[in-house]
Amino acid sequence: MSGPTATPVGPDSYGRFMRVRIFDCWMHELDIRDGVGLPASDAELAGPAAALALDEMSAAMGRVVGKLGGAPQGSRVALELTGPLARTIRVTVDGRGRVVDDFGGEAPTAVIRMDGLAFTRVAGGRAAPDGVELDGDRDVATRIVQHLNYVI
């Protein structure tokens, strides 16, 4: 599963290929649920497919924050997701944006707080940002939110 292969996001491992497929299926399941008016329960959103889908989305946040959102050099951005999909995605910009486990004791320059499901819908181009809280450098945070829709 670690050998190189073609994936929808470029050459990577077969494991990454499968994570992208899980992400695709999970997002389309949400689309279907939206279409028929049967939203996923909190328990369903807290399952392993959702966790893997969010792992895939989290991996893209370096590019979203640093390149698409134009966060300046030295920025530390925390995306705090709430609800059943709760997690914090931390991105530093040092030459380019990259996802990190922590900020090494430094405070974030900008914080974007929103419901995790809303995050997936905005990032997937399915909804406009709503109910977003911004802290710290609001200009940077606002620009990032405006560019969260990265899924093609």
Side-chain angles (χ1 to χ4, degrees), residues 76-127:
R76 294 173 305 281
V77 177
L79 294 111
E80 296 180 354
L81 308 183
T82 62
L85 299 177
R87 70 169 58 189
T88 299
I89 304 165
R90 294 171 188 85
V91 178
T92 61
V93 180
D94 183 14
R96 60 188 274 182
R98 64 185 175 89
V99 176
V100 295
D101 292 332
D102 62 58
F103 294 134
E106 298 284 333
T109 344
V111 178
I112 301 164
R113 191 173 301 107
M114 65 191 305
D115 176 78
L117 183 58
F119 166 79
T120 67
R121 308 316 281 149
V122 172
R126 273 85 167 158

Side-chain angles (χ1 to χ4, degrees), residues 5-90:
T5 190
T7 78
V9 294
D12 211 320
S13 68
Y14 185 74
R16 173 81 189 279
F17 175 83
M18 293 310 296
R19 190 172 83 183
V20 172
R21 287 290 139 239
I22 290 168
F23 162 76
D24 286 342
C25 291
W26 185 77
M27 285 290 282
H28 292 308
E29 177 186 348
L30 293 179
D31 293 338
I32 293 166
R33 287 177 169 280
D34 286 349
V36 298
L38 295 172
S41 69
D42 286 357
E44 290 167 322
L45 290 175
L52 285 170
L54 271 177
D55 288 348
E56 183 60 33
M57 296 180 88
S58 295
M61 289 301 107
R63 179 176 169 272
V64 169
V65 168
K67 185 173 184 177
L68 302 179
Q73 184 72 10
S75 295
R76 294 173 305 281
V77 177
L79 294 111
E80 296 180 354
L81 308 183
T82 62
L85 299 177
R87 70 169 58 189
T88 299
I89 304 165
R90 294 171 188 85

